[in-house]
Each structure stands twice: as structure tokens, then as C-alpha cells.
């Protein structure tokens, strides 16, 4: 069973987001933990989203070998549907947080806004990732 989430960043044009299928929970080794440990800046948030929907997030975004794929992933490398499985690139764009959250049926919502990651559960309850 998967714990699905969406990963997004906010800029002057709105919220830009992708879907992540596995390990969306906050605790180690889930997405919440990895975002704050390995991707705790705006450039990283934008880079993750630029790669489109994903299967799972790891400590690295890019492989160090040419054999990395959806069916044969390199250890510790994230797997994206467009790059690693040849699917269409999908990045959602929304005007408001409410529109973004209402557009997905997810367990967790991660949003880079200004200077940190923010998180909400499926009920819209805010979760502190920096305890």
C-alpha cells in the first residue's frame, strides 16, 4: 500500500506541484524527512517539481549511471515517471492553496513557501516538519 503525497512550491504565479506515489509520510524515511534533510531550499523544491510526477523520492534526484530506469533504479536515486518510464511530463499549476489541496486526493501535502517546507495531512491539519 502506498502513502501518496504532492510536492509543490509557491511563487508569484501560484502553486506548482507534482504527485509522489510512495512513502509520502512525514517520518524518516518518508518524503517529509527527505525534503527537510536533502532538499531544504527553494532551488531544490523547484528542481523536484520540474521533473514531474514521481514514484518515490530518494536522497538524490539524478543518477550517476546511464542504467537507471523505472524498472532498474539506481540505489538512492529518485524515480520519475517522465524521465524514468517515458510517460508524459505532468506538473500541476494552481492559483491558490485551496485549489491545489482540493485537486488531489492525497495523504500529505508538501509546499515550499518562502523559506521552508510546509505540510498538511489529508484533513488539512498543518504538521510541523521542523520539530
Amino acid at each position: 500500500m502506498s502513502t501518496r503525497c504532492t510536492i509543490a512550491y509557491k511563487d508569484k504565479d501560484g502553486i506548482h506541484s507534482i504527485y509522489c506515489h510512495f512513502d509520502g509520510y512525514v517520518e524518516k524515511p518518508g518524503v517529509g524527512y527527505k525534503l527537510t534533510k536533502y532538499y531544504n531550499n527553494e532551488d531544490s523544491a523547484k528542481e523536484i517539481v520540474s521533473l514531474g510526477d514521481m514514484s518515490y523520492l530518494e536522497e538524490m534526484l539524478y543518477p550517476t549511471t546511464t542504467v537507471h530506469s523505472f524498472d532498474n533504479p539506481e540505489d538512492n536515486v529518485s524515480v520519475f515517471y517522465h524521465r524514468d518510464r517515458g510517460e508524459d511530463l505532468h506538473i500541476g499549476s494552481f492559483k491558490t492553496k485551496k485549489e491545489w489541496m482540493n485537486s488531489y486526493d492525497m495523504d500529505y501535502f508538501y509546499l515550499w513557501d518562502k523559506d521552508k517546507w510546509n505540510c498538511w495531512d489529508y484533513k488539512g491539519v498543518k504538521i510541523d516538519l521542523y520539530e
Side-chain angles (χ1 to χ4, degrees), residues 73-116:
E74 183 178 335
D75 287 345
N76 301 316
V77 176
S78 304
V79 174
F80 292 87
Y81 297 135
H82 174 68
R83 179 191 70 197
D84 302 321
R85 196 161 70 178
E87 293 184 9
D88 290 342
L89 180 65
H90 181 261
I91 301 168
S93 291
F94 306 94
K95 294 292 183 197
T96 66
K97 185 180 120 199
K98 182 177 181 179
E99 180 187 3
W100 166 61
M101 292 181 81
N102 287 338
S103 296
Y104 289 98
D105 181 20
M106 297 291 158
D107 298 298
Y108 294 95
F109 296 81
Y110 296 99
L111 176 66
W112 180 268
D113 187 11
K114 297 182 179 121
D115 62 350
K116 69 177 187 171

Side-chain angles (χ1 to χ4, degrees), residues 14-131:
I15 294 174
H16 312 279
S17 69
I18 62 168
Y19 165 72
C20 179
H21 189 72
F22 289 107
D23 302 330
Y25 48 88
V26 173
E27 303 83 16
K28 185 178 182 179
V31 168
Y33 170 79
K34 289 175 183 167
L35 289 173
T36 58
K37 180 160 177 71
Y38 304 114
Y39 305 104
N40 205 25
N41 62 68
E42 183 176 5
D43 289 341
S44 292
K46 289 180 176 181
E47 188 70 18
I48 292 168
V49 172
S50 76
L51 293 167
D53 292 344
M54 65 190 320
S55 184
Y56 56 87
L57 182 67
E58 287 292 347
E59 63 186 71
M60 295 186 301
L61 294 180
Y62 297 100
T64 59
T65 68
T66 57
V67 297
H68 174 82
S69 70
F70 184 84
D71 294 322
N72 187 27
E74 183 178 335
D75 287 345
N76 301 316
V77 176
S78 304
V79 174
F80 292 87
Y81 297 135
H82 174 68
R83 179 191 70 197
D84 302 321
R85 196 161 70 178
E87 293 184 9
D88 290 342
L89 180 65
H90 181 261
I91 301 168
S93 291
F94 306 94
K95 294 292 183 197
T96 66
K97 185 180 120 199
K98 182 177 181 179
E99 180 187 3
W100 166 61
M101 292 181 81
N102 287 338
S103 296
Y104 289 98
D105 181 20
M106 297 291 158
D107 298 298
Y108 294 95
F109 296 81
Y110 296 99
L111 176 66
W112 180 268
D113 187 11
K114 297 182 179 121
D115 62 350
K116 69 177 187 171
W117 286 107
N118 296 274
C119 178
W120 297 268
D121 69 10
Y122 68 97
K123 294 179 183 177
V125 176
K126 189 150 172 59
I127 298 169
D128 187 0
L129 296 175
Y130 298 93
E131 295 178 349

